[in-house]
Amino acid sequence: MNRICIVTRDLSSGGAERVISNLANYLVGKGKSIFILTLFGDHQFYQLHPDIEVISFSKEKSKAGKYIKARNSVNELQPDIVLAMPEEVGIYLTLTMIGSKVPVIISERNNPSVMPSNKMTRILRYVSYSLVKGIIFQTSQAMEFFPNYVRKKGEIILNPIDIESLPDLHEKEREKVIVSVGRLEPQKNFSVLLEAFSKLVKEYPEYRLVIYGEGSLRGELEKQISELFRDPDLVSLPGRVSNPPENIKDASMFVLSSDYEGLPNALIESMAMGLPVISTDCPSGGPRELIENEQNGILVPVNDSNELHRAMKKIIESSQFSEDLGKNALCVRKQLDPTLIYNQWHQYLEKFVAE
């Protein structure tokens, strides 16, 4: 396998985009020729090796036109294998590539019971997945969602940690701040986090909550904050920041309140920095892949403000428990070592070229 084509939406600042960029850089280091085709945007957030060729079809107006151009480009490039992610891109690209002899691999990046959000796309997924050579899942729960003919093609590969992008480990006293990071969208369910914090702050008024991210629910969340808290300074929504790890490293704890996730990078980074973490035990099982409950983090039920409140309170009330959670969370550095993870990708892709 010498030529690899990766097809995706864009190369913005998301988790899938970071995996693509780092994987491409790793494979170039292994002597591979890498081509990245972007369908919906040409902005590049993460640094790519100069030998990686990026081809954008963002100026093509129609969705069908984008995929047809991607197919034509693949036929011209003649790669040994095509990797498409996230799942919606993989579904439509596979259908567009019918008749091509180039093997296509898809990577699922979220909860398959919810994503893709379009019903017709979810129906087409089963046709597409019957045609692809292989499918990479982030969690065992995501793989188990599908029938046997899909699972037989699957491989579970966790997200790697980008250690070099993280600040030095925390060594001073932690600030009385609870943090979260994510898009201000329904999936992240920051509403339940606000409810839980409104209970906590009655007992510990010295604590603050900071939620980093931007999205369509900003107005609703600001309204909820004004209704729940007499002092608006107790909660802040500073928006999207360029370096979330640097902003959260000194916090007392990190909280993920999502209704569903794939394998959340914000949670991974927080654990890798030694923060005590709390996460909903949400589908498709990403947090459960990382957290052993009350050993290196705390798992709570989805959309349960009472249990979330209890978990935050437990971390605050026991400094030893908090310290142990943070120290034990560092195990993800070994579990998600990037060289290990990207080698798994490499070996999986090689397998299909050899067939």
Side-chain angles (χ1 to χ4, degrees):
M1 179 182 68
N2 294 310
R3 295 168 66 84
I4 304 168
C5 185
I6 302 174
V7 184
T8 189
R9 294 175 303 201
D10 55 45
L11 291 172
S12 59
S13 60
E17 292 79 7
R18 182 172 65 180
V19 169
I20 288 169
S21 301
N22 290 339
L23 175 63
N25 290 337
Y26 175 84
L27 292 171
V28 165
K30 292 292 183 179
K32 312 302 181 183
S33 297
I34 306 297
F35 308 90
I36 301 179
L37 312 185
T38 62
L39 303 176
F40 298 97
D42 51 16
H43 174 68
Q44 185 179 311
F45 184 84
Y46 300 104
Q47 185 173 359
L48 291 173
H49 191 283
D51 290 346
I52 296 172
E53 183 177 349
V54 179
I55 304 169
S56 175
F57 304 120
S58 61
K59 293 182 180 179
E60 171 63 43
K61 293 183 179 179
S62 74
K63 183 176 179 179
K66 292 177 186 294
Y67 284 98
I68 290 171
K69 285 195 171 184
R71 175 195 166 94
N72 293 339
S73 184
V74 169
N75 288 336
E76 291 173 8
L77 293 169
Q78 283 297 298
D80 297 304
I81 199 164
V82 173
L83 171 63
M85 70 169 85
E87 53 283 335
E88 182 171 340
V89 169
I91 291 165
Y92 287 105
L93 180 74
T94 301
L95 297 174
T96 310
M97 292 289 295
I98 289 176
S100 171
K101 295 183 179 180
V102 180
V104 178
I105 307 297
I106 288 178
S107 179
E108 279 267 349
R109 310 305 298 174
N110 213 316
N111 177 10
S113 67
V114 178
M115 301 296 290
S117 57
N118 182 276
K119 183 178 180 180
M120 179 54 68
T121 303
R122 291 203 299 274
I123 293 172
L124 291 173
R125 173 173 59 187
Y126 289 95
V127 178
S128 175
Y129 286 11
S130 70
L131 300 171
V132 297
K133 283 288 187 178
I135 307 170
I136 294 172
F137 297 96
Q138 293 181 299
T139 70
S140 56
Q141 191 178 110
M143 181 188 282
E144 290 300 318
F145 173 83
F146 291 97
N148 189 51
Y149 78 88
V150 174
R151 296 198 301 270
K152 285 164 61 174
K153 300 180 180 185
E155 182 87 355
I156 299 168
I157 303 180
L158 303 179
N159 274 0
I161 294 174
D162 187 3
I163 295 290
E164 294 181 0
S165 70
L166 298 180
D168 293 337
L169 293 177
H170 173 89
E171 293 182 351
K172 59 184 180 180
E173 184 178 354
R174 294 199 172 277
E175 298 174 356
K176 290 180 169 44
V177 178
I178 298 167
V179 295
S180 190
V181 180
R183 293 171 290 107
L184 308 185
E185 301 294 344
Q187 173 189 350
K188 303 301 181 179
N189 198 353
F190 288 125
S191 178
V192 75
L193 175 54
L194 291 174
E195 291 175 14
F197 183 67
S198 70
K199 300 170 185 176
L200 184 77
V201 80
K202 293 175 182 177
E203 303 161 292
Y204 300 96
E206 69 274 22
Y207 276 79
R208 294 186 301 113
L209 172 64
V210 182
I211 301 173
Y212 294 95
E214 196 53 78
S216 63
L217 294 184
R218 170 173 284 275
E220 291 184 27
L221 293 173
E222 289 176 337
K223 181 181 178 183
Q224 185 180 5
I225 291 168
S226 67
E227 292 172 349
L228 288 175
F229 305 96
R230 291 183 179 180
D231 181 0
D233 292 334
L234 289 172
V235 182
S236 60
L237 305 174
R240 189 180 293 111
V241 293
S242 60
N243 191 354
E246 186 65 38
N247 285 269
I248 71 174
K249 66 177 183 178
D250 297 326
S252 291
M253 69 188 82
F254 170 87
V255 179
L256 183 83
S257 54
S258 299
D259 289 341
Y260 60 91
E261 287 283 353
L263 199 68
N265 283 307
L267 178 61
I268 290 171
E269 290 172 343
S270 298
M271 295 179 73
M273 290 190 293
L275 266 74
V277 300
I278 301 169
S279 174
T280 50
D281 189 10
C282 59
S284 55
R288 183 169 283 275
E289 296 277 355
L290 302 169
I291 294 175
E292 183 179 353
N293 194 31
E294 300 205 358
Q295 296 300 313
N296 62 347
I298 301 178
L299 292 170
V300 297
V302 171
N303 199 35
D304 190 329
S305 64
N306 290 326
E307 286 301 317
L308 184 51
H309 163 235
R310 290 190 189 100
M312 291 191 290
K313 184 177 178 181
K314 185 170 184 177
I315 289 176
I316 290 173
E317 290 184 340
S318 174
S319 58
Q320 187 61 57
F321 178 65
S322 172
E323 184 178 343
D324 289 344
L325 286 183
K327 286 181 178 179
N328 294 338
L330 293 172
C331 67
V332 298
R333 286 179 169 243
K334 183 177 181 180
Q335 179 187 9
L336 305 178
D337 177 82
T339 301
L340 171 67
I341 299 298
Y342 289 128
N343 185 59
Q344 290 176 0
W345 281 84
H346 186 197
Q347 295 302 314
Y348 185 72
L349 296 177
E350 287 275 14
K351 179 173 70 173
F352 294 101
V353 175
E355 289 182 350

